[in-house]
Amino acid sequence: MDLITQLKKDPTTEKLSLLPQVVLDEAHVEELAEALESSSSLTNLTMIGNRLGEAGFIQIVKALTKSNCQPVAITVGANEIGAEGAVALSELLHGDCRIEDLRLVDNSIGGGGAASLAAALTSCKFLKILNLNDNGIGDEGAVAVASFLAAHRGIVTLYLEWNGIEVEGGNALASAIAGQRTLKSLFIFKGNRMGCRNNDQIERAIKKMRGSTATQKTPKPLPAPHTAAVTEQPTCAKAKRSSASRRSRGPPPKTWRTSIRSYAAPPLALITKYKLPLGVILIAVACAYQFGPLMLPSPRPPPLLSGVLMLVFTVIVGSMALMVYLFFSTDLEKPD
């Protein structure tokens, strides 16, 4: 690897970036660890989509621990470092921690790994950016991050999206975020179900900190696999306002069409639920075949012409039945 060779030749290298096209097997990981041990000036380390796994990442962290460098920015994405990798990284961050920017996206660290990291980051007084997107930290990890936020007042940007955080974790985070004074950018609503009450409390806290309307900017996508664009859902406040607006307008005026629909709604709801519009058409077709011969002129035409007339009559009756069905089923709400 050219980058690893360069790091070996020049231990004073400050930045090392291994993007997805650089896949590290066991031999390369050992070579990189050896180079990192002799490094003295490395401050920025980026490893994205290199297939490190737990064992490979732990080996690299141990090498950083033995070296004299003090990382300021660490980005590890889509490398599946797991909870054990997060625990190893937390040991590196204990003590004289100079880290300012820590990004661990899509690494499956779980709640235990997040808790270990949060405990170690309490001593990192220079930390400004923390990105734990897509790690499945759940409520356990969210409560740990909330404890870290309560003890650390210097965070400027925080990412916690796609972590399966629910109401318990949302309660802890909402209280912790409300006490922040330096937080400027927060990405937390996507991929979590914290409840409308917690979401609204967090939004109010952001507005209070910024002193104006809070707007979330979409972060730049991580240049690694497993990243995808997601449509942002409306906030709870907007949903409540929309519901209140609908209630304030009152029910729609009653007309002959709505009256007929009110009586036709139950059977049509069943038809919609069990996907039976085809059944209506088939019944109409059966009726056409049953009563169609009565509509033929006398004397009877030849068999071929009779068949054609029957087919035309069937199509007309079926089309009329379908039009009636569509007329009365328009705008009806589908049952749950």
Side-chain angles (χ1 to χ4, degrees):
M1 294 280 181
D2 295 339
L3 292 173
I4 299 176
T5 305
Q6 180 184 351
L7 182 61
K8 281 184 175 182
K9 292 180 179 179
D10 184 10
T12 61
T13 300
E14 295 183 355
K15 295 183 180 181
L16 178 63
S17 181
L18 302 175
L19 295 180
Q21 62 269 24
V22 182
V23 178
L24 300 177
D25 56 19
E26 291 184 8
H28 289 135
V29 169
E30 291 181 2
E31 188 179 358
L32 176 59
E34 183 182 348
L36 288 173
E37 283 185 21
S38 60
S39 175
S40 59
S41 303
L42 188 68
T43 57
N44 292 266
L45 178 61
T46 300
M47 295 182 293
I48 300 174
N50 310 116
R51 304 181 187 177
L52 287 173
E54 284 189 1
F57 183 71
I58 291 173
Q59 192 172 352
I60 288 173
V61 170
K62 287 181 178 179
L64 287 172
T65 305
K66 295 177 182 179
S67 69
N68 295 323
C69 57
Q70 292 183 327
V72 173
I74 296 178
T75 298
V76 181
N79 269 303
E80 296 296 325
I81 68 173
E84 295 298 324
V87 171
L89 181 60
S90 65
E91 294 175 359
L92 172 67
L93 298 176
H94 273 297
D96 186 18
C97 177
R98 299 285 177 177
I99 193 78
E100 297 178 9
D101 185 347
L102 180 61
R103 302 170 189 254
L104 304 176
V105 180
D106 189 14
N107 283 299
S108 304
I109 67 174
S116 179
L117 270 177
L121 290 174
T122 306
S123 61
C124 298
K125 57 184 179 180
F126 299 106
L127 184 65
K128 292 180 175 60
I129 300 174
L130 178 62
N131 190 338
L132 296 180
N133 276 358
D134 197 10
N135 275 295
I137 68 174
D139 285 340
E140 179 186 359
V143 170
V145 172
S147 300
F148 156 71
L149 290 173
H152 186 90
R153 302 291 181 177
I155 286 289
V156 176
T157 304
L158 178 64
Y159 300 82
L160 290 174
E161 294 178 333
W162 300 106
N163 275 302
I165 302 171
E166 298 192 355
V167 176
E168 181 184 353
N171 288 336
L173 286 170
S175 300
I177 290 168
Q180 290 291 315
R181 294 294 177 267
T182 60
L183 190 62
K184 300 298 181 184
S185 300
L186 177 65
F187 306 93
I188 195 173
F189 298 115
K190 295 178 185 176
N192 298 310
R193 296 182 296 178
M194 301 179 293
C196 284
R197 186 175 181 180
N198 291 323
N199 288 349
D200 291 342
Q201 184 177 348
I202 291 171
E203 285 184 346
R204 287 194 298 271
I206 297 172
K207 290 179 182 180
K208 185 177 179 181
M209 283 184 286
R210 293 182 181 177
S212 60
T213 304
T215 56
Q216 284 197 14
K217 296 180 180 178
T218 304
K220 292 182 179 179
L222 184 69
H226 317 301
T227 58
V230 184
T231 304
E232 186 175 357
Q233 298 180 351
T235 61
C236 298
K238 290 181 181 177
K240 290 177 182 176
R241 286 196 298 270
S242 177
S243 177
S245 176
R246 287 195 299 270
R247 288 196 299 269
S248 65
R249 289 198 297 266
K254 199 168 185 179
T255 64
W256 66 270
R257 187 173 179 178
T258 57
S259 299
I260 295 176
R261 283 181 180 175
S262 64
Y263 293 105
L268 289 175
L270 289 175
I271 291 173
T272 304
K273 181 176 181 180
Y274 296 106
K275 311 297 183 187
L276 293 179
L278 183 60
V280 175
I281 298 174
L282 291 176
I283 292 173
V285 170
C287 292
Y289 268 102
Q290 180 69 26
F291 301 106
L294 300 177
M295 305 296 294
L296 294 176
S298 184
R300 295 286 181 88
L304 180 60
L305 182 57
S306 297
V308 172
L309 292 175
M310 285 288 296
L311 179 61
V312 171
F313 182 74
T314 301
V315 170
I316 292 173
V317 174
S319 300
M320 291 176 64
L322 181 60
M323 289 172 63
V324 171
Y325 169 77
L326 294 176
F327 177 83
F328 289 115
S329 63
T330 305
D331 299 331
L332 287 176
E333 292 184 3
K334 292 183 180 181
D336 296 331

